[in-house]
Amino acid sequence: MDLPRRPRRLRSDGVRPLVRETDLSASDLIAPVFVDATTDERRPIGSMPGHTRVPVDQAVERVREVRETGVEAVMVFGIPESKDAEGSRAWADDGVVQRAVGRITEETDAYVITDVCLCEYTEHGHCGVLEEGARDDPHMTVDNDRTLELLAETAASHAEAGADMVAPSSMTDGMVGAIRAELDERGFESLPVMSYAAKYESAFYGPFRDAADGAPAFGDRRHYQMDPANRREAAREVRLDVEEGADVLMVKPALPYLDVVADVRESFDHPVAAYNVSGEYAMLHAAAEKGWLDLEAVAHESLLSIKRAGADLILTYFAEDVAERL
C-alpha cells in the first residue's frame, strides 16, 4: 500500500518518549494534608483509603512523609476543636491551621498552601455567615458580603502563621479582592492567592466531607457553587478573580471538568490549577478493589489527562503514590 503518512512510525519504544507531548512530574503535584485538633493520634479516613487525619503534633511528620516522595507542596486543611455560627476558629491565632502551619514552615522545606474557607469551622457546615432565616428557607443560604471580612481575616491569619500561599475556596463573590486588600494592608503584598475560581456544586465531594467534617447541616451549596451544566459561566467567574488580583486559577473538580480546565488555559495566561477531588480518588480505589482497574495505571493516566488539558498544578490525593513512581 502507498501510505506516505504512517503515525505508527513514531510509536516505537525508542522514539515514543522523544515525541511525548505531555510529561507529569512530582513538582506538578500538591498533596492535601488534614490536621485535626480533636485527636492525639492519626485517624484513617474510611472513604479515602491511604489517607488520615493527623493531630497538630504530627503535622510536621506528615509533611516530611510527603516531601520524601518528591512532592514539594502541600495544602493544609484544618478540623477545629470547636465550631460556632461564624466559624471563629478559622482565624484564631491558636487555630488548628495556624499552629500546624507555624510548625511545618519552621521545620520543613515544603511549600505550604492553606485552604481558606469557613465550612469546616461553622456549626452549620456552610461556607460563610448565614442569612437570617436560612435554616428554614431553602432559597437562602450564605450572606455573601458579611462573609468577606471573615475570609480576609482568615487568610491574613494564615499568612501571619507562615503560609506561602492562600487558597480561598468558598466561591463568595469578591473573596479574592477582599483577601488581596487585607494581605496588602498587613504587609503581605508578595504572598500569592490561588483562587478556587471555578468551583462547581459537584457530587464528587462526598469523601472530603468525611475527611474535613464539612458537610452542610441543612440544604446544599447550589446558591454559591457553580451549576455543573455551565461552561461559559466559568469564564466570567475566572475573569472576575483575575481582575481582583488572583495569582493562580483553580478549577474544581478536575476530571468531569477538563473542558473548563482547557478553556481557562486558553483564555488566561495565569498558572492554572485543577483539584482532582476526593470522589475521583475514591471511585478509582473502589474499582481497583473489585479488580476492575489497575489502580497505579489509572491514577497516572487520570493525572496525565488533567495536565494535558492545561493544568500546571494538580491538587490530588494520589500525589504521593504517583510521585514515587515517576
Side-chain angles (χ1 to χ4, degrees):
M1 296 181 67
D2 182 12
L3 294 176
R5 297 185 180 181
R6 291 180 180 266
R8 288 181 57 180
R9 291 171 183 152
L10 298 181
R11 293 178 187 157
S12 63
D13 290 340
V15 73
R16 188 181 181 96
L18 294 177
V19 298
R20 182 167 294 141
E21 298 174 18
T22 305
D23 287 309
L24 187 67
S25 69
S27 61
D28 299 326
L29 309 178
I30 303 168
V33 172
F34 295 96
V35 185
D36 188 346
T38 70
T39 183
D40 57 4
E41 61 183 8
R42 297 196 182 198
R43 292 183 177 178
I45 301 169
S47 55
M48 295 170 60
H51 284 273
T52 62
R53 297 182 185 181
V54 300
V56 175
D57 289 344
Q58 293 186 35
V60 169
E61 178 185 347
R62 176 73 189 96
V63 171
R64 285 175 175 159
E65 292 168 0
V66 172
R67 288 291 292 115
E68 288 173 359
T69 69
V71 175
E72 300 171 3
V74 296
M75 175 85 84
V76 178
F77 297 88
I79 297 91
E81 60 270 58
S82 63
K83 304 187 180 192
D84 58 30
E86 291 191 336
S88 61
R89 295 303 298 170
W91 61 87
D93 290 342
D94 61 347
V96 58
V97 167
Q98 290 80 358
R99 287 186 288 146
V101 166
R103 298 181 188 189
I104 293 167
T105 55
E106 183 177 339
E107 300 183 41
T108 79
D109 61 352
Y111 190 82
V112 180
I113 309 167
T114 59
D115 179 75
V116 177
C117 195
L118 301 177
C119 58
E120 295 113 299
Y121 302 89
T122 55
E123 61 191 9
H124 48 76
H126 281 282
C127 299
V129 181
L130 294 180
E131 296 176 317
E132 186 175 351
R135 292 180 182 272
D136 303 316
D137 186 344
H139 301 292
M140 303 170 68
T141 48
V142 169
D143 186 320
N144 189 94
D145 293 3
R146 286 175 59 205
T147 298
L148 292 177
E149 180 180 350
L150 306 184
L151 293 172
E153 184 69 25
T154 300
S157 74
H158 292 178
E160 289 172 348
D164 297 301
M165 178 185 285
V166 294
S169 62
S170 67
M171 287 300 287
T172 309
D173 291 346
M175 65 183 183
V176 173
I179 288 170
R180 182 73 272 159
E182 187 70 20
L183 291 175
D184 291 355
E185 183 176 335
R186 299 200 193 188
F188 294 105
E189 61 276 353
S190 296
L191 191 140
V193 175
M194 176 166 65
S195 176
Y196 289 62
K199 181 178 179 180
Y200 286 85
E201 191 219 354
S202 172
F204 284 90
Y205 300 150
F208 175 88
R209 292 171 182 172
D210 291 340
D213 280 348
F218 65 91
D220 54 40
R221 294 173 175 155
R222 71 185 186 279
H223 293 152
Y224 46 100
Q225 293 179 357
M226 290 176 58
D227 186 339
N230 293 357
R231 179 176 180 175
R232 296 190 304 273
E233 182 187 8
R236 300 198 296 273
E237 283 279 7
V238 173
R239 187 172 296 108
L240 287 171
D241 284 2
V242 168
E243 292 170 355
E244 292 175 22
D247 300 287
V248 181
L249 307 170
M250 183 186 287
V251 176
K252 181 182 180 182
L255 292 176
Y257 299 90
L258 292 182
D259 56 333
V260 178
V261 174
D263 288 347
V264 175
R265 170 73 289 145
E266 179 69 22
S267 301
F268 301 92
D269 61 1
H270 289 54
V272 177
Y275 198 150
N276 180 222
V277 300
S278 59
E280 299 169 55
Y281 175 85
M283 69 181 182
L284 295 187
H285 266 275
E289 288 173 7
K290 290 283 190 180
W292 298 339
L293 293 174
D294 179 324
L295 183 61
E296 179 179 330
V298 294
H300 182 271
E301 186 176 338
S302 295
L303 300 190
L304 193 64
S305 74
I306 298 168
K307 183 79 181 292
R308 189 183 66 243
D312 302 292
L313 308 171
I314 304 172
L315 180 58
T316 176
Y317 302 98
F318 285 118
E320 294 165 88
D321 291 338
V322 169
E324 287 183 316
R325 296 189 294 270
L326 291 174

